[in-house]
Amino acid sequence: MDLDDLQLVDHHVHGAVKEPLDRAGFEKLITESDRPVPAWMSTFDSQLGLAIRRHCAPLLGLEPHASADDYLAARAEQDVNRLFLGAAGVSDYLVDTGHLADSLTDVDELAKLSGSRAHEVVRLEAELEYVASQESDVAAVPDALVGRLEERTAGAVGLKSIVAYRYGFDFDPAEPSAGDVRASLDRWYATGAKRVTDPVLLRWLLWTGARRGLPLQLHVGLGDTDLQLHRVNPALLTEWLRLVEPLGTQVVLLHCYSYHREAGYLAHVFPHVHLDLGLTTMYVGARAPAVLAEGLELAPFAKLLYSSDAWGPAELHYLGATLWRRAATSVLDTFVQQGDWSAEDAARVARMWGRDNAVRLYGLDQR
Amino acid sequence: MDLDDLQLVDHHVHGAVKEPLDRAGFEKLITESDRPVPAWMSTFDSQLGLAIRRHCAPLLGLEPHASADDYLAARAEQDVNRLFLGAAGVSDYLVDTGHLADSLTDVDELAKLSGSRAHEVVRLEAELEYVASQESDVAAVPDALVGRLEERTAGAVGLKSIVAYRYGFDFDPAEPSAGDVRASLDRWYATGAKRVTDPVLLRWLLWTGARRGLPLQLHVGLGDTDLQLHRVNPALLTEWLRLVEPLGTQVVLLHCYSYHREAGYLAHVFPHVHLDLGLTTMYVGARAPAVLAEGLELAPFAKLLYSSDAWGPAELHYLGATLWRRAATSVLDTFVQQGDWSAEDAARVARMWGRDNAVRLYGLDQR
Amino acid sequence: MDLDDLQLVDHHVHGAVKEPLDRAGFEKLITESDRPVPAWMSTFDSQLGLAIRRHCAPLLGLEPHASADDYLAARAEQDVNRLFLGAAGVSDYLVDTGHLADSLTDVDELAKLSGSRAHEVVRLEAELEYVASQESDVAAVPDALVGRLEERTAGAVGLKSIVAYRYGFDFDPAEPSAGDVRASLDRWYATGAKRVTDPVLLRWLLWTGARRGLPLQLHVGLGDTDLQLHRVNPALLTEWLRLVEPLGTQVVLLHCYSYHREAGYLAHVFPHVHLDLGLTTMYVGARAPAVLAEGLELAPFAKLLYSSDAWGPAELHYLGATLWRRAATSVLDTFVQQGDWSAEDAARVARMWGRDNAVRLYGLDQR
């Protein structure tokens, strides 16, 4: 199977970094850790680091597996954003603009550099924090939030929640009462904190987001040191998924490692649950076929999506797509070679996974 | 290794559906979801759906990978129950009769259609609910339950619990006092509910079942939307397993996905714990070798059992056996090819897993 | 890739049993279960049992896959400790002397029999229990513990905690106050119990250990019936890891099955977290390549360590090394064959994993 010509929809991605990067700066951006890299190690000595040296070096005119120093020297000579974004084979980027966006290309720049279409995904927590920064009257916040979301999602394709980072999934699943929300807003305003971390406010945001009707993306599983991995097992969302199911909103579980099998189970039993293995695919590098295969156990094939979750170096936008194509080819070809699937079904599932499901879910053919 | 001639013991199965099935009806029965199938997807687009088209189509005279419509048209022309049950290569079915049994073949019909022996496994929750439906005096329920189980298990080979669906495994592991049971029965009777969901009653049932001495099967892991996956991790049963160990009752963990490694660990350290990967094997289709292999990491080989957990279309009774034979062959041959196992040991472990362990555990050679 | 000549550092191991072993005695030592082996099974029918018959038999002059009886008969004729310890290809053993050490070779004997260097790892719980056995005045215990640890670690390379066995990782992560420690010591002394199981004392030990500055090893994941597997998921340590991070102490997660992916995540995001798959590698036998590969997904390669965690039969000291070499070769060669890694990087990562990382972490080049 050859997926080189399949134009992907990267349904969850961020911008590319605009400034040049030295070795220390680059090393900081190829790890999920937010800590300084210890002097006795290099983040190039990781699956992602080796994948960059293997798969990105040839685009810079280097041999595969070029050394990190040679790689970074060649990188500094080129317009890497245009190079890697142009080579990813992605027709549509769905861009989460809610995380440190000032240092990154915005939606329009990403479209221009890549020659692809780019659409916005609006991050719920960032919008509540924006509203709070503008609105001194606590009582006005609920209406202001609804208004802000209406305005911000007018041209957007989806919403995103990072409750995983801010609290975890072990929250009370019921929609909070107006009184509880008001009390929590009062407490939050009293602290003067910018970040929203109160579980009542976070689940109010989730419910408010679910009521918008747009597909709602949730960060699930691996991330940085802010989260506790066992508290972002998506199975913890089961009761919340049951409660929002009548709203008709589609929920997308992102990344999911090491709980991608649990995510596949949820996509199997709940009609409104979808998943991807973005971020994961990139970080596990040579292990991507093994991990993606686990995602193809219980999940109905109409529920699978592709994303890179790239943030920062444009290598990641390219690498997400490249590793997904290699891994999906490997996994699906194996099913065919085992005598279990037909080649036609394998090719069809690859198209659903890499493109068609996202076009349907986000209505991209009507844009 | 060729396991075609190994007559399996399917130690946990249900009846086959008696009525003809149209496409919508068939699609509903090849998913664990209890929700309507969304219009934009088909449950044939899943590992199980592709496995049916691949492995069952030839028995209907079709090419492998026949389309779903062709498959269902051919299916409607034949006596599929006799066809698939007869082809499964199963000597003994151990039949859980506790779930919507009216629409399914009963134990005797299953035996007749398959030409195999069939034995009953009695579901604890169904028996308590039956007793409650017959007994208006709450005080009489405990004795009536013991009497009912004695009567129902006279010819049965095992008991089954679905506490996983009704509550989860995070219950107080100790045997409840007579007073606590009475109070919970009073509350249950007062509600008028048919289903038993009270955790005190559920664990009283578990203890009462364990005291019968027959092998006690527990639903573990994947199922429908009624359960919360993280609450049916069998590791949560550890303290309960310690407490019932002195009773000498053998406990069998069924299905187990995505906690089959945890189940293997429990089978490793507790002499009275066994496991299978039924249901799982069928639903993961082409991934069955990978998943079964994970079940062969820590579990002693004398603790492994085979089941299909088929319910509904007779394809599932056949497919459980077929996918197990294919996957077990693949996994065990790999160990031999790696140079780690002898071919003799591989064949011996396959027989233990598919047949001999179940014959010993359920005393099938004395029936 | 050929790792036969790579001299390993086995950074977590115990002594070898000194007495001869009959079949029953040997079977008891090749399982993590502390229960009698049921009459209807043999622990040789397990991944570890088959690995012993395959990989250890040739060293006794037998054919690979010799029967268990032939194996044990040949074993009884030879100086197995010298034989297997000498063949392991290990330059340095780091020996945890805290578990039933009287029946085992001590640090010096292990060095002599193996011809390797041997260094001590001091078990925290054993030291507190020793102090309590010597000190009748409760008020003197905190200072006595600090003094004892100073004395015991003067020549040691690391500390070890078995809080996993004694409680679990779901403890309050904060350092307990002197008053809380004193109250817990009072309660412990009042019970007269030898074993320390109080969570306040266990976490006080962890904090006290972390303050020593030596690498601190934690038992994680699979073990015997004392532990509850879901309570030793290392993700539960996240907040404690955040709190001890400023101390600069390096934390090593041992074994980790079935939570090795969670351990890899922690090693990825926290600079001071390392991991191995000791014990696991041995017990999963022919599945070692598959399990080790999962450990190579998120963990930075500078964080990977080798250990056997052998305890008892010297076969385990040899087998840990042999299965690691085979599995690491298989996994890393696969990455090269897939076209993802260069052969040079694969060889370099193998050396880091099997030797160089441990030399750096424990300062073995300065001893």
Side-chain angles (χ1 to χ4, degrees), chain B residues 20-31 35-37 42-44 69 72:
Chain B
L21 293 167
D22 61 11
R23 176 142 184 177
F26 193 86
E27 289 218 13
K28 279 284 293 172
L29 295 179
I30 60 169
T31 170
R35 303 301 206 256
V37 181
S42 162
T43 57
F44 272 103
D69 283 335
L72 290 168

Side-chain angles (χ1 to χ4, degrees), chain C residues 79-252:
Chain C
D79 183 353
V80 285
N81 285 353
R82 197 170 295 272
L83 177 69
F84 287 113
L85 291 170
V90 167
S91 70
D92 293 78
Y93 285 106
L94 279 55
V95 189
D96 171 4
T97 50
H99 182 53
L100 299 180
D102 290 349
S103 61
L104 304 178
T105 56
D106 65 22
V107 176
D108 290 340
E109 288 167 321
L110 194 69
K112 199 171 156 195
L113 284 163
S114 61
S116 315
R117 298 200 300 175
H119 320 271
E120 188 167 11
V121 173
V122 174
R123 191 184 283 213
L124 288 166
E125 291 79 8
E127 297 309 321
L128 177 58
E129 289 166 358
Y130 175 83
V131 167
S133 74
Q134 303 294 313
E135 182 59 75
S136 56
D137 176 9
V138 176
V141 168
D143 285 347
L145 176 69
V146 170
R148 173 74 180 172
L149 289 180
E150 256 176 58
E151 181 191 318
R152 289 281 287 124
T153 58
V157 290
L159 288 166
K160 159 90 180 284
S161 161
I162 55 162
V163 64
Y165 276 119
R166 296 298 177 84
Y167 185 78
F169 295 152
D170 46 355
F171 54 81
D172 177 351
E175 188 163 20
S177 69
D180 285 349
V181 170
R182 175 58 192 270
S184 294
L185 284 170
D186 282 337
R187 275 195 303 274
W188 183 35
Y189 267 60
T191 66
K194 186 191 172 325
R195 280 161 59 95
V196 55
T197 58
D198 178 276
V200 173
L201 296 180
L202 290 165
R203 70 186 231 256
W204 171 56
L205 263 173
L206 268 182
W207 274 96
T208 307
R211 290 193 179 284
R212 288 287 318 144
L214 289 173
L216 177 53
Q217 304 179 342
L218 274 85
H219 179 108
V220 175
L222 89 160
D224 68 31
T225 53
D226 270 3
L227 58 77
Q228 294 179 280
L229 202 56
H230 62 289
R231 294 180 58 200
V232 296
N233 177 343
L236 293 163
L237 293 170
T238 307
E239 187 59 27
W240 180 78
L241 289 169
R242 284 179 196 145
L243 293 177
V244 298
E245 188 179 3
L247 300 181
T249 297
Q250 303 298 300
V251 176
V252 189

Side-chain angles (χ1 to χ4, degrees), chain A residues 31-33 35 40 45-47 50 53-55 65 223-227 230 257-258 286-287 294 326, chain C residues 235-236 242 245 261-262 265 268-269 271 293-294 296-298 301 338-342 345 348 360:
Chain A
T31 170
E32 279 294 295
S33 181
R35 303 299 205 256
W40 43 264
D45 282 334
S46 66
Q47 289 284 6
L50 296 196
R53 289 174 40 218
R54 162 65 185 89
H55 298 295
H65 318 297
D224 68 31
T225 53
D226 270 2
L227 58 78
H230 62 288
Y257 188 95
S258 60
R287 287 284 296 166
E294 294 176 354
R326 285 173 63 87
Chain C
L236 293 163
R242 284 179 196 145
E245 188 179 3
R261 281 173 157 167
E262 286 78 0
Y265 164 76
H268 183 109
V269 296
E294 294 175 354
L296 262 78
E297 286 164 0
L298 283 194
F301 305 140
Q338 284 174 193
D340 286 313
W341 287 29
S342 71
D345 282 321
R348 190 169 57 87
R360 183 194 69 238

Side-chain angles (χ1 to χ4, degrees), chain C residues 1-6 288-289 292 296 321-337 346-347 350 353:
Chain C
M1 188 166 56
D2 184 346
L3 299 179
D4 286 355
D5 294 333
L6 176 62
L292 286 191
L296 262 78
T322 298
L323 288 176
W324 181 85
R325 283 195 181 87
R326 284 173 65 87
T329 302
S330 166
V331 171
L332 299 172
D333 277 352
T334 299
F335 295 160
V336 175
Q337 285 153 17
W353 186 2

Side-chain angles (χ1 to χ4, degrees), chain A residues 242 245 261 269 297 339, chain B residues 33 35 54 224-225 257 294:
Chain A
R242 284 180 195 143
E245 187 179 3
R261 282 173 156 166
V269 296
E297 286 165 358
Chain B
S33 180
R35 303 301 206 256
R54 163 63 184 91
D224 67 30
T225 52
Y257 187 95
E294 293 175 355

